[in-house]
């Protein structure tokens, strides 16, 4: 089933965007407090020198810059969505993505997202990926993000 959905995503991008739009609306209806819960959980994570928080629309330029500075090989597997600024804005507004950032001071050093989607059996599935800049990998800052969900 996953292979079929990926082929639709790549062969028929307009259809895929419509499916994602509908999925986002469904997730907002199903989980109206998701953003508030993510904020509460992220603010409860403590790691000296780092701040965890959901990414806001105003953070997307920093996210784009962060993703563009990563070495090619570090995103080969991660590459779940486009890294362009318009794509990041669309995902952020969709209602089915929770985007979390890890900052050291004002610098974004890690990114994690949770993608909620209706499953074929009409249940709710969630997939997520995390990535940390190689300069901060030794800190394992995104291991703490797992406690946010």
């Amino acid at each position: 089933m996953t292979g079929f959905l990926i082929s639709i995503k790549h062969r028929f991008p307009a259809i895929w965007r419509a499916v994602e739009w509908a999925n986002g609306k469904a997730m907002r209806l199903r989980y109206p407090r998701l953003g508030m819960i993510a904020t509460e959980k992220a603010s409860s994570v403590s790691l000296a020198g780092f701040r965890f928080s959901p990414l806001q629309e105003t953070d997307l330029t920093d996210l784009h810059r962060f993703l563009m500075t990563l070495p090619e090989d570090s995103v080969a597997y991660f590459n779940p969505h486009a890294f362009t600024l318009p794509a990041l804005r669309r995902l952020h507004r969709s209602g089915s993505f929770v985007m979390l950032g890890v900052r050291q001071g004002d610098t974004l050093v890690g990114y994690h997202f949770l993608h909620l989607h209706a499953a074929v059996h009409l249940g709710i599935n969630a997939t997520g990926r995390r990535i940390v800049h190689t300069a901060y990998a030794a800190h394992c800052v995104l291991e703490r993000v797992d406690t946010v969900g």
Side-chain angles (χ1 to χ4, degrees):
M1 181 54 111
T2 302
F4 173 69
L5 293 174
I6 290 172
S7 69
I8 289 175
K9 178 180 180 177
H10 293 291
R11 291 183 187 167
F12 307 105
I15 291 172
W16 187 255
R17 281 192 301 275
V19 167
E20 278 292 323
W21 178 85
N23 182 66
K25 297 298 181 195
M27 293 304 102
R28 281 184 195 214
L29 288 172
R30 175 67 178 94
Y31 299 106
R33 297 175 2 108
L34 185 61
M36 184 178 66
I37 292 168
T39 300
E40 289 172 6
K41 294 290 187 178
S43 66
S44 71
V45 177
S46 176
L47 182 62
F50 297 94
R51 181 173 43 91
F52 297 77
S53 64
L55 296 177
Q56 304 301 317
E57 182 97 18
T58 55
D59 297 318
L60 296 181
T61 301
D62 287 345
L63 176 59
H64 178 258
R65 187 177 309 115
F66 168 74
L67 293 170
M68 293 297 101
T69 64
L70 297 171
E72 273 296 312
D73 60 338
S74 70
V75 294
Y77 171 74
F78 177 73
N79 231 344
H81 57 69
F83 294 155
T84 65
L85 198 49
L88 294 173
R89 285 188 181 119
R90 187 181 75 250
L91 295 174
H92 187 267
R93 293 177 184 151
S94 76
S96 63
F97 278 82
V98 175
M99 301 169 124
L100 302 170
V102 180
R103 290 185 184 273
Q104 184 175 45
D106 290 333
T107 304
L108 186 68
V109 297
Y111 168 58
H112 179 92
F113 77 86
L114 180 66
H115 181 203
L116 301 171
H117 47 91
V120 175
H121 55 78
L122 299 180
I124 304 299
N125 284 346
T127 57
R129 299 284 187 270
R130 62 183 173 213
I131 193 162
V132 64
H133 196 282
T134 54
Y136 299 92
H139 295 289
C140 298
V141 294
L142 286 174
E143 293 303 318
R144 295 295 181 101
V145 172
D146 285 341
T147 67
V148 173

